[in-house]
Amino acid sequence: NSSFPCLTGTFKTYIFPCGSLSQTQQLVCNCLLFVNVSKLHLDALSDKSILCSFSFLTLSKYAPQDDQEDITSFAVSCDDELLVTASRALLLKQWDWRQGTCTRSWKAIHTIPVASMTFDPSSTLLATGGCDATIKVWDVVKQYCTHNLKGSSGVVHLVQFHPDISRLQLFSSSVDCGIRLWDLRSSQCVCVLDSHYSAVTSLSFSKDGDTMISSGRDKICTVWDLKSRQAKRTVPVYETVEGVVLLPEKTDLSQIGVKSKTLHFVTAGSKGVLRVWEASTARCVYTQSLPSTLTPSSEEDKEDDDPRSLTYLFHLPASSRLATVTAEHNILFYQLPSLTTQQQFVGYNDEVLDVKFLGKDDTHIVVATNSCQLKVFQLLTNSCQILYGHTDTVLTLDVFKKGSLFASCAKDRSVRVWQLNSDSGQVRCVAQGSSHTNAVGSISCSRMKASFIVTGSQDCTVKVWDLPAEFSSEEIHQLSPRSTEKAHDKDVNSVSVSPNDKLLASGSQDRTAKLWSLSGDGNLGLLGVFRGHRRGIWSVCFSPVDQILASSSADGTTKLWGLQDFSCLKTFEGHDASVLKVIFVSRGTQLLTSGSDGLVKLWTIKTNECVKTLDAHQDKVWGLHGSRKDDKMVTGSADSNITVWLDVTKVELEEEQAKQEDQILKQQELSNLLHEKKYLKALGLAISLDQPHTVLTVIKAIRQVEDSSDLLETTLLRLRVDQKESLLRYCVVWNTNARNCLDAQAVLQVLLTHLPPEELLQFQGARTHLEGLLPYTERHMERIGRLQQASMFLNYMWQKMRVAGASSG
């Protein structure tokens, strides 16, 4: 019986596996997420928002339990040694991120939380910009505040040191949209650079330090001459810019349109693409192309809230890469000089609505979250590919038998078919169709071969869509339904195709499930109705081996139905809330169910028994899928967690079998040692087995030998300290039984006589053991006392009887 007791991998919210990156790049990866979070959600961070689990650093985990304040800003030193965080408690904390420990903390002096911070190039000075319109500069080596800069208006959301340390200049920006230049020698603001009419988002400096480029949400970038402190050129970029980076000057970047040796810079913003601009001419020389199926009109409509819009841009000069963060907290790495996507990591999953294994050997999982994008994770590296195409929340998924094709449906009333390239690992949309009049909430793929898909919708209809024999490598095939049937009176929550592709089951909110025939002419024929659930049906599934249908319902039950007479064969009760998903495992002999209570239960069909309850989620478990080899399963929940489980039944059986074989061998060895009268080895072996009765057998064998007291004493004193501890523990057990109390007392006599009290008290649990010995020992003494009295009286009577007999004779 499969038991799935072992958690083998958990992909939690905010997980960034960075195993292939250097430490510097890993840290930058962290910077990107936290800057993104602080920019977008600074006023609404909760405890859950800062629970950011990285592959090597968890700030909330290392923080003291009594410090539940949100992290408002943080910075990493340029030498990658220091990490400093600021919290709403107005505390600054310095972390040793390699060890995961807080090395020191101090008051920020700011009267309200810190909004921004940065290190200087020497990693000795730290600047913090507060919401109280002040800037503090700290010497993190000598541990004191060096400057208190006043004069900003409102929240200081941007601080940055000049890359030339000798200039001792600090740039800042606040809500007045000006860029202030501070001279740290005099602690004065020497000038205000005015050009922007909205928030300044980032600054970037040329290699010689004489030119600076600023970006803002007013859709312009400004090129500044820092010698004259004047604006050289204003570049309209026609999008809200969140990040700007000057490209390296002495690098061949002709692939992205850089033809001259003048300054060029990259912008990232609301359009979700990286664009390269020539500073001298204000001309866009390159625009990154994204694989998208959105129409131009929909892109314009969604520019401001496009989930692909970029909120941060960072340059990684050591590896010649650019890193960006999207509005949905996804981190993307682009390789220079081609700006091709190299890696993607997902920062936030939101609610997981469905999850399926993907690939020939289940090497990937595809996840539908509470968004219009699909996410395909490679299980080995956790690297993610984000799929765009749907325009509203994707509700459910299904995978074809070979694992390279899968289908999705969404609230946008459409269905899409996607293909995974087994060589490159890339996924692309190969077919799409839209015919439903309401959200499509269920989908099922054909089982024999990739010939059709079936969808169920909130418009109460079921549609069958034919697929072409082959898909074009360039164009997206347009699907049209071959059959449409009004299947239920309410929303169709689930559809399932039988293993032989001849039957279809549908489950609905109207509390019924129906069985349909899938004929070759494309028509759906109703065969029967399954009635018995008291509330809406969430999921239906065919048995892989029997003519049985399983259904799960909002009434908290799972039922098995016979396909011949449509009768209910079995009912499984155990969930405290709606049962959202049901699948067959273990070759059809067991069921797995997941519910709104966050539990996954394993049922044995033959006995109606729940043999295992898996509790790894805190919210509704919408996604549940088993692997092709039936040795793994994956679950996805509304708590944003995706969990991969491994069936360890075979491993456990092998371990148990090996343990039993080892016990038999040791028992035989023990018998041989007793026969050979090697009592010391026999006693040591018996104690290693941790079997008090076996140890007692050895003690009894020793006490049956002539001069047993000396032999027992010699044997016991040669034992190790841990073995003596075990003997003392066993004596407590033996002493509770009158038949074994003499053996226990004999062992105790040796231990108490030859071991000093100080050594005895060092034994683990010695006080408890000795206290447990006292009452039974007193009881044995009383019993022996009564027996001695009775024997003395009997002896007296016997003597008197002999005297009386002699007199009468």
Side-chain angles (χ1 to χ4, degrees):
N1 292 330
S2 301
S3 55
F4 293 105
C6 179
L7 177 66
T8 59
T10 303
F11 304 95
K12 291 189 175 181
T13 314
Y14 302 112
I15 286 189
F16 296 93
C18 304
S20 60
L21 307 178
S22 69
Q23 289 179 343
T24 304
Q25 295 158 355
Q26 289 173 356
L27 213 53
V28 168
C29 191
N30 295 340
C31 294
L32 293 175
L33 175 72
F34 269 106
V35 170
N36 189 31
V37 171
S38 62
K39 277 185 178 179
L40 297 181
H41 308 293
L42 183 60
D43 298 325
L45 285 175
S46 63
D47 290 339
K48 188 173 182 181
S49 298
I50 64 170
L51 289 176
C52 303
S53 299
F54 301 85
S55 60
F56 56 94
L57 175 64
T58 309
L59 292 179
S60 60
K61 175 181 176 183
Y62 302 136
Q65 292 299 315
D66 57 347
D67 182 12
Q68 297 297 326
E69 291 293 335
D70 300 332
I71 296 172
T72 59
S73 182
F74 86 114
V76 181
S77 62
C78 297
D79 59 4
D80 296 339
E81 293 298 325
L82 301 178
L83 169 65
V84 177
T85 61
S87 70
R88 288 193 184 275
L90 304 182
L91 287 177
L92 296 176
K93 293 189 177 184
Q94 182 176 312
W95 304 82
D96 180 351
W97 61 270
R98 290 185 175 87
Q99 300 298 324
T101 56
C102 179
T103 55
R104 62 182 285 248
S105 62
W106 67 97
K107 291 184 178 179
I109 306 180
H110 293 278
T111 57
I112 47 181
V114 174
S116 58
M117 63 170 65
T118 185
F119 275 93
D120 79 324
S122 67
S123 299
T124 58
L125 296 180
L126 172 71
T128 58
C131 297
D132 56 1
T134 65
I135 301 170
K136 319 289 184 188
V137 181
W138 308 82
D139 189 322
V140 293
V141 177
K142 297 181 180 179
Q143 303 181 4
Y144 70 99
C145 181
T146 62
H147 299 77
N148 183 17
L149 309 177
K150 297 181 179 180
S152 301
S153 57
V155 177
V156 182
H157 61 264
L158 176 65
V159 287
Q160 191 163 339
F161 285 96
H162 192 283
D164 187 353
I165 305 173
S166 62
R167 299 194 187 191
L168 281 177
Q169 292 178 341
L170 176 69
F171 295 82
S172 70
S173 181
S174 56
V175 294
D176 62 359
C177 309
I179 303 172
R180 284 177 167 76
L181 172 57
W182 303 85
D183 183 0
L184 298 183
R185 290 185 177 89
S186 61
S187 298
Q188 298 296 320
C189 176
V190 295
C191 73
V192 179
L193 307 178
D194 287 318
S195 172
H196 292 278
Y197 297 94
S198 186
V200 179
T201 54
S202 68
L203 305 174
S204 183
F205 298 87
S206 62
K207 189 175 181 180
D208 59 13
D210 294 332
T211 304
M212 180 183 77
I213 295 183
S214 61
S215 65
R217 297 196 178 110
D218 51 5
K219 302 186 179 182
I220 64 170
C221 290
T222 304
V223 183
W224 301 90
D225 184 346
L226 295 182
K227 288 183 177 180
S228 62
R229 297 170 185 170
Q230 298 293 324
K232 294 168 60 176
R233 181 173 291 277
T234 298
V235 181
V237 294
Y238 309 108
E239 67 169 331
T240 302
V241 184
E242 297 292 342
V244 62
V245 166
L246 272 167
L247 289 172
E249 299 175 25
K250 297 181 180 180
T251 306
D252 181 14
L253 299 172
S254 57
Q255 295 185 48
I256 52 176
V258 178
K259 305 297 183 183
S260 62
K261 295 183 179 180
T262 57
L263 286 179
H264 290 73
F265 61 92
V266 180
T267 59
S270 57
K271 290 187 176 180
V273 294
L274 297 179
R275 296 196 289 172
V276 181
W277 301 81
E278 188 175 13
S280 59
T281 62
R283 185 170 57 92
C284 179
V285 298
Y286 178 81
T287 300
Q288 183 187 35
S289 60
L290 284 178
S292 173
T293 54
L294 292 176
T295 61
S297 60
S298 63
E299 284 186 357
E300 293 173 5
D301 296 340
K302 292 198 170 188
E303 179 179 326
D304 295 333
D305 58 354
D306 190 342
R308 289 176 298 178
S309 63
L310 304 176
T311 60
Y312 199 75
L313 175 65
F314 199 88
H315 184 215
L316 307 173
S319 59
S320 297
R321 291 192 293 178
L322 294 175
T324 64
V325 178
T326 69
E328 288 205 336
H329 314 295
N330 302 320
I331 297 179
L332 292 89
F333 290 92
Y334 298 100
Q335 186 67 53
L336 289 173
S338 58
L339 280 185
T340 54
T341 305
Q342 189 184 52
Q343 285 177 303
Q344 298 184 61
F345 298 107
V346 172
Y348 183 53
N349 279 326
D350 204 356
E351 293 188 23
V352 179
L353 301 183
D354 204 0
V355 58
K356 292 285 191 291
F357 281 108
L358 189 63
K360 184 178 179 182
D361 298 314
D362 297 325
T363 54
H364 297 69
I365 56 172
V366 55
V367 182
T369 60
N370 193 20
S371 74
C372 54
Q373 294 88 46
L374 288 170
K375 300 178 177 70
V376 178
F377 291 92
Q378 186 178 7
L379 290 178
L380 186 62
T381 64
N382 290 359
S383 181
C384 178
Q385 184 180 169
I386 301 166
L387 308 180
Y388 297 92
H390 287 288
T391 57
D392 206 340
T393 304
V394 180
L395 296 176
T396 189
L397 308 159
D398 199 18
V399 182
F400 287 92
K401 185 177 181 180
K402 291 184 178 180
S404 60
L405 277 177
F406 65 96
S408 61
C409 58
K411 284 185 178 180
D412 61 6
R413 308 174 187 178
S414 71
V415 56
R416 287 179 177 268
V417 180
W418 309 79
Q419 187 173 44
L420 170 69
N421 188 311
S422 56
D423 297 326
S424 64
Q426 296 298 308
V427 180
R428 67 182 187 92
C429 181
V430 294
Q432 66 174 349
S434 180
S435 178
H436 284 285
T437 59
N438 209 330
V440 186
S442 57
I443 193 167
S444 183
C445 300
S446 56
R447 304 306 177 196
M448 302 291 286
K449 59 180 181 178
S451 56
F452 66 90
I453 54 176
V454 180
T455 57
S457 168
Q458 292 179 12
D459 61 12
C460 307
T461 65
V462 171
K463 293 180 182 289
V464 182
W465 311 71
D466 278 328
L467 301 182
E470 292 184 1
F471 293 102
S472 170
S473 59
E474 298 178 357
E475 296 181 355
I476 297 178
H477 181 80
Q478 296 298 317
L479 299 174
S480 58
R482 80 176 188 203
S483 177
T484 300
E485 189 74 31
K486 185 181 183 303
H488 293 272
D489 297 329
K490 292 185 179 180
D491 300 357
V492 180
N493 291 332
S494 177
V495 289
S496 178
V497 176
S498 65
N500 62 1
D501 286 347
K502 293 184 178 180
L503 298 174
L504 171 70
S506 60
S508 170
Q509 203 64 30
D510 63 8
R511 299 180 292 180
T512 65
K514 293 185 179 181
L515 186 67
W516 307 82
S517 64
L518 285 168
S519 58
D521 57 2
N523 293 322
L524 286 172
L526 180 63
L527 299 178
V529 181
F530 305 97
R531 292 187 174 88
H533 283 293
R534 300 186 302 276
R535 298 186 68 181
I537 294 175
W538 280 112
S539 176
V540 290
C541 181
F542 282 98
S543 167
V545 292
D546 296 316
Q547 293 188 7
I548 291 174
L549 180 74
S551 64
S552 62
S553 168
D555 61 13
T557 66
T558 302
K559 292 180 181 289
L560 294 184
W561 310 85
L563 300 185
Q564 301 294 333
D565 54 4
F566 310 105
S567 62
C568 179
L569 305 177
K570 287 179 180 288
T571 300
F572 302 86
E573 299 183 22
H575 286 279
D576 296 330
S578 299
V579 185
L580 303 176
K581 211 85 167 184
V582 58
I583 60 172
F584 285 87
V585 292
S586 304
R587 298 179 181 177
T589 61
Q590 291 181 305
L591 289 175
L592 272 170
T593 58
S594 63
S596 297
D597 50 10
L599 301 178
V600 177
K601 291 181 178 288
L602 179 69
W603 308 83
T604 298
I605 294 176
K606 187 176 182 180
T607 61
N608 265 50
E609 179 186 3
C610 176
V611 295
K612 192 73 176 180
T613 298
L614 307 173
D615 187 5
H617 294 287
Q618 306 301 319
D619 209 336
K620 301 179 182 68
V621 183
W622 289 107
L624 176 66
H625 190 230
S627 64
R628 289 168 186 76
K629 294 182 180 179
D630 221 9
D631 60 343
K632 288 185 294 186
M633 74 165 180
V634 61
T635 56
S637 169
D639 63 6
S640 304
N641 291 346
I642 302 167
T643 309
V644 179
W645 305 81
L646 179 67
D647 183 356
V648 296
T649 307
K650 186 176 180 180
V651 176
E652 285 186 342
L653 287 175
E654 289 175 352
E655 289 177 353
E656 185 64 28
Q657 200 169 20
K659 188 176 179 180
Q660 290 178 359
E661 291 175 357
D662 187 54
Q663 291 279 359
I664 293 171
L665 291 174
K666 286 185 176 180
Q667 289 287 358
Q668 182 60 47
E669 184 181 357
L670 178 63
S671 177
N672 294 339
L673 291 172
L674 287 175
H675 181 72
E676 297 170 4
K677 297 186 178 181
K678 296 180 179 179
Y679 296 114
L680 178 61
K681 289 186 177 180
L683 190 59
L685 180 60
I687 293 173
S688 69
L689 291 173
D690 197 23
Q691 296 178 353
H693 181 73
T694 306
V695 178
L696 180 62
T697 303
V698 178
I699 295 294
K700 288 181 179 293
I702 295 174
R703 296 188 70 233
Q704 289 176 359
V705 180
E706 294 182 7
D707 299 327
S708 60
S709 59
D710 294 336
L711 179 59
L712 182 63
E713 181 179 318
T714 306
T715 305
L716 294 183
L717 294 178
R718 292 175 64 186
L719 293 174
R720 299 192 309 270
V721 175
D722 61 312
Q723 293 173 328
K724 292 175 183 176
E725 284 184 13
S726 299
L727 264 182
L728 181 60
R729 189 173 77 250
Y730 298 156
C731 284
V732 177
V733 180
W734 301 337
N735 199 47
T736 60
N737 193 322
R739 288 180 296 179
N740 304 325
C741 65
L742 294 179
D743 302 301
Q745 293 297 326
V747 173
L748 282 173
Q749 182 182 6
V750 174
L751 295 178
L752 296 176
T753 303
H754 294 86
L755 297 181
E758 295 80 9
E759 184 178 343
L760 278 172
L761 290 175
Q762 295 299 319
F763 288 1
Q764 187 176 1
R767 295 179 182 274
T768 305
H769 297 330
L770 294 174
E771 289 174 0
L773 285 167
L774 288 175
Y776 283 99
T777 302
E778 291 176 355
R779 188 180 303 175
H780 296 321
M781 285 295 294
E782 291 174 0
R783 182 170 53 81
I784 291 174
R786 291 194 300 270
L787 182 62
Q788 188 176 9
Q789 290 177 4
S791 63
M792 290 176 64
F793 179 74
L794 184 62
N795 186 44
Y796 171 77
M797 291 295 295
W798 172 248
Q799 293 294 336
K800 289 299 182 181
M801 287 172 64
R802 289 177 61 188
V803 172
S807 300
S808 62

